Amino acid sequence: MSPSRRILVAEDDSGVRDLIRTRLNAAGFDTHTAVNGVEALLRIGELKPDALVLDINMPEMDGFGVLEALKDNPARARLPVLVLTARHAAEDVRRAVGLGAKDYLTKPFNDAQLLARVARLLRPPIPAPAAADILML
């Protein structure tokens, strides 16, 4: 993993935010934080992160609002997002994924889960086979 991979963590709970930042920094990521959705959108514009770890329940603008803003901005719509939240309802998962989240992890979580999910976010997409390759099968 390249230490230059920049991750933004948007989380309003300072204890959880510090824990995530510490774990990601220890794994070699360049980790930055935001305390709410409004700040997250500003920091995304400034930092150009490689991935976003996003809480849903935040003041000023929640995680769904952030996902909607990202989806509406073509330059930011491809930012891979891991939703990390205490919300367990199936409709929350569907909504987050429908708005563009690539993954969804509920609290409480363990370090291995967090690191594996962030690493998966940063993997390059597998290219679709070309039509000529399909015809050769």
Side-chain angles (χ1 to χ4, degrees), residues 20-104:
I20 296 168
R21 180 180 46 212
T22 299
R23 298 303 186 244
L24 293 175
N25 283 343
F29 294 103
D30 178 18
T31 311
H32 301 264
T33 62
V35 299
N36 61 53
V38 172
E39 184 181 358
L41 291 175
L42 292 172
R43 304 282 330 257
I44 289 167
E46 295 167 359
L47 296 169
K48 310 286 189 270
D50 296 301
L52 172 63
V53 176
L54 179 66
D55 187 21
I56 294 296
N57 298 325
M58 294 186 293
E60 294 188 48
M61 176 187 286
D62 68 9
F64 293 127
V66 172
L67 289 169
E68 288 170 357
L70 293 174
K71 186 176 181 179
D72 291 342
N73 183 328
R76 297 177 180 172
R78 293 188 306 201
L79 176 65
V81 178
L82 165 63
V83 170
L84 179 59
T85 184
R87 295 173 71 145
H88 299 266
E91 66 252 18
D92 291 330
V93 177
R94 281 193 296 276
R95 183 174 177 198
V97 170
L99 289 171
K102 301 292 185 235
D103 203 350
Y104 197 100

